[in-house]
Amino acid sequence: MARGTDAKAAPTRKGEPDAYARHKESARLRQLDVSEAGRDIGAIPPVVDPERREAARLSLQSFLLTYCGGAFPLPFCDDHVSVIEDLQRVIMGDGQKAVAMPRGSGKTTIIARTALWALLFAHRSYVAVIGADIGKARDVLQGVTSELENNDLILEDFPATAHPIRKLEGIRQRAKGQLYDGRPTLLHVTDQKVVLPTITGEPASGSLLQIGGLTGAVRGLNHTRPVLREDGTVGNEIIRPDVVLLDDPQTDESAHSPKQCERRESLANGAIMGLGGPGASLAALAAVTVIAPDDLADRMLDRERNPQWQGTRTKLVYKWPENEDLWLRYGELYREGMQAEPPTLEPAFSFYKANRDEMDRGAEVAWPERFNAKDGELSAIQHAYNLRITRKEAAFHAEYQNEPLADGPAGAEIPDEKAIAARLSGIARGVVPDAAELVTAFVDVQGNALFYVVCAWSRKFDGWVIDYGTEPEQRREYFTNREIKYGLRQAAARDGKRGGLEASIRWGLDKLGERLLGRDWPTEAGGVTRISRMLIDSGWGESNAVVRAWCKSSAHSAVVFPSHGRGVGPSDKPMHEKKTEKGDRRGHNWLLAKPKAGVRLVTYDTNAWKSFVMSRLATPMGDPGTIQLYGDEARRHRLIAEHLSSEYRVATEGRGRIVDVFKLRAGRTENHWLDGVVGCSVAASMEGASMPSIGGPMPAVRKRRRKSLREIQERRAIA
């Protein structure tokens, strides 16, 4: 019967409440026993091979090869052995050490397994791993937990640590209630910390690994560790790190910012080295890769600036081959093959195979086994040259040689405005040097004004900026786009051409076209020449249709083209891999599209061409491939020098490529004449200028299309 107000209460026998209470308590105890039995990990297996374990206790290299061999598919080279010995000295003692290793040498993998070795053998009880940020440091933590959760050899010889972790079966929430012999194991696993299980008699009990980012909340890092007392109760003790491992503690962006480098250097020497607490000694090792001159890694490795870190640099190549000419030819074949359709490296690789003995002569590499046999590479020196070609000189020397180029054709850093303004040709404004064979121009369309640059070039890409300015002209030597008060609309209105933004841009293009294209440009020798190609930026909304229409209807339509620059990142498809249509013309990081509505659009990779321009601005005066400014007064070029130095490069990796990505420096907003020099360079490439050397633009590889018999007959009939 359903319970209600009319139902009679069932009779209660004498003593039944007590019996029911006993029944509930008995059921609760049985359930508790079942629950505890489910949470108890059971007996811990014995160590399978005590001798194997003991052999690795005082040898980090033995531990890595014996227990973590799967993480190291290639043999260690001498530099690896040296770094591993440095790591062992730091773990077993005190002091600081900074070691630079080439990118891809397995630093993070080694750091993670070193931290595990230190904890398993109780060489250290609190290991702190600090990365550039918490996300980068998490790779180390994942490496440690992966070995503990999946490595059967570690389970065999370190069962007191690995067995409780295996019992979680990947469900880390179970750690909170886990028991061993009726006592909590106090195991703790999160995405920032792993506390090893507390097992009586196990040296590694309660040891922990914690990660952090260099610029994060690492100051005062500590951990409250539960401690099992003899009576079975749990107490607490506060511990601090006793060793810190820094794994690539900088980002690509921070490496190019002096302020960020200064801050990170201060943190490494201050907050990080103070993690041990007042009066406590702290051992530290920093495994770094140099990205740019004077970045954090470069500073830590400098024994004069930071002698306490005892910096050591390792390289991918210690001595380059003696026959440079053969390798230059190899580089040409490599680039030609990548520009072919479809891309192929077979000619370059066959050339190396046929000349390998001579091309290898004199070479000394750090890691002979480092090359991609699956991709057809035959040796480590060939692999190094392939990296040198694809990664560019600046990135290669910094990240693989740990010796950033301070200057030269592939200067890793962009010269400052003073250095750029001092690059003077001594030739008057508007005069084309005798050595020049081409003249190109570029117009950067802004709402207030049109920023233009005119450059003269040799066909080997020696460059001269012979003119630059704005339409309408500004009477001040120094101004910003935002400060322009007499702009396109005001100038067009004064000329009787009233209208909106589009009309004022059209007026400006008419005026600038006549100023640049409707005139002869004098040469040093007394002759005259004309601009052979001018590109006009059509990359933003209101200007797009105006620029295209002007290029189509202009009296100079044969030499003017609308253009659009796009930064191609490492995850994007490179321009030489993009599909083309019949009528398209492809060049080095540019594409001239087939006519659409009577106009051909030029698109180009701004990142690639800015890298090229920056290399030219870093090339020493007098060397081939420089870019110079007109005149002999540096002070007059202050503004364009600021534009040309307004951006910095960040070597960014993705999908197996490293690409220079350019960003505006903090506080800079003006880069219009930088875009202008870049556009002039693209136009020169379209006119046939090229620099056939490693790291420099190459002319397009154009395949000759076979003509049909009908086409030949029609051509003859017309003739």
Side-chain angles (χ1 to χ4, degrees), residues 6 56 103 120 218 300 409 413 610 672:
D6 296 333
R103 188 178 292 278
L120 289 175
V218 296
M300 296 179 75
E413 188 51 81
K610 283 178 181 178
H672 315 304

Side-chain angles (χ1 to χ4, degrees), residues 64-215:
L64 296 176
L65 294 176
T66 302
Y67 292 97
C68 307
F72 306 104
L74 298 178
F76 288 143
C77 67
D78 291 343
D79 285 341
H80 283 118
V81 173
S82 179
V83 170
I84 290 168
E85 290 174 351
D86 287 330
L87 277 164
Q88 177 164 330
R89 279 193 294 270
V90 168
I91 296 296
M92 301 296 289
D94 293 317
Q96 298 170 234
K97 181 69 180 177
V99 179
M101 300 183 71
R103 188 178 292 278
S105 296
K107 293 188 305 298
T108 299
T109 303
I110 293 174
I111 288 289
R113 277 73 188 172
T114 298
L116 180 61
W117 174 74
L119 294 172
L120 289 175
F121 286 106
H123 296 316
R124 296 287 175 172
S125 60
Y126 190 165
V127 178
V129 176
I130 308 298
D133 52 50
I134 192 71
K136 298 293 180 61
R138 194 163 287 129
D139 292 341
V140 174
L141 183 65
Q142 290 174 346
V144 170
T145 55
S146 177
E147 296 288 359
L148 290 171
E149 291 173 345
N150 305 304
N151 191 316
D152 290 337
L153 284 179
I154 289 179
L155 176 64
E156 290 179 2
D157 289 357
F158 301 90
T161 299
H163 179 69
I165 294 175
R166 286 290 186 97
K167 283 294 184 178
L168 299 179
E169 297 179 332
I171 304 174
R172 294 177 176 179
Q173 293 84 344
R174 292 178 178 176
K176 187 175 182 180
Q178 190 181 76
L179 301 174
Y180 170 65
D181 198 20
R183 296 181 176 182
T185 63
L186 307 177
L187 175 62
H188 185 64
V189 184
T190 69
D191 62 352
Q192 296 187 25
K193 182 187 297 185
V194 55
V195 181
L196 300 185
T198 298
I199 305 295
T200 302
E202 174 59 31
S205 288
S207 296
L208 74 140
L209 168 70
Q210 187 165 1
I211 63 172
L214 182 58
T215 58

Side-chain angles (χ1 to χ4, degrees), residues 327-536:
W327 282 107
L328 285 173
R329 179 56 184 156
Y330 175 85
E332 293 173 358
L333 291 171
Y334 190 102
R335 289 182 174 280
E336 289 172 1
M338 290 302 294
Q339 293 169 352
E341 292 186 14
T344 175
L345 295 178
E346 196 278 331
F349 283 23
S350 295
F351 179 81
Y352 173 67
K353 185 177 181 180
N355 299 278
R356 179 176 176 180
D357 290 343
E358 179 62 20
M359 294 174 74
D360 287 358
R361 182 165 53 83
E364 294 181 11
V365 295
W367 197 1
E369 292 80 11
R370 180 173 176 170
F371 61 93
N372 298 324
K374 292 182 179 179
D375 294 339
E377 292 180 342
L378 300 176
S379 70
I381 191 63
Q382 183 191 16
H383 176 69
Y385 264 101
N386 291 344
L387 289 172
R388 188 174 173 181
I389 295 168
T390 57
R391 302 300 198 257
K392 309 299 184 184
E393 290 286 327
F396 178 83
H397 278 275
E399 300 181 24
Y400 294 92
Q401 295 295 92
N402 286 298
E403 291 181 340
L405 299 174
D407 206 280
E413 188 51 81
I414 299 167
D416 61 24
E417 52 263 32
K418 289 184 179 180
I420 292 175
R423 301 177 66 84
L424 301 171
S425 67
I427 302 173
R429 179 177 183 177
V431 176
V432 178
D434 284 341
E437 301 164 88
L438 306 167
V439 181
T440 62
F442 183 87
V443 181
D444 187 41
V445 179
Q446 298 294 314
N448 282 343
L450 307 180
F451 287 76
Y452 72 88
V453 177
V454 181
C455 291
W457 306 93
S458 75
R459 293 193 179 274
K460 293 183 179 180
F461 256 124
D462 302 301
W464 298 265
V465 176
I466 63 172
D467 196 12
Y468 61 90
T470 62
E471 180 63 54
E473 290 185 275
Q474 303 300 304
R475 295 183 179 180
R476 295 176 293 170
E477 285 188 357
Y478 190 88
F479 60 90
T480 65
N481 185 35
R482 293 182 180 180
E483 294 172 345
I484 292 176
K485 294 182 179 179
Y486 183 67
L488 286 170
R489 292 190 183 188
Q490 292 80 12
R494 178 174 293 184
D495 198 35
K497 304 292 183 180
R498 297 186 179 275
L501 176 61
E502 293 86 349
S504 66
I505 292 175
R506 176 70 185 238
W507 174 88
L509 290 172
D510 286 338
K511 291 293 184 180
L512 197 55
E514 286 307 308
R515 190 200 303 185
L516 302 182
L517 302 173
R519 58 169 283 192
D520 292 328
W521 293 81
T523 66
E524 271 190 294
V528 293
T529 188
R530 290 215 165 196
I531 292 173
S532 58
R533 191 175 298 261
M534 184 168 82
L535 305 184
I536 305 176

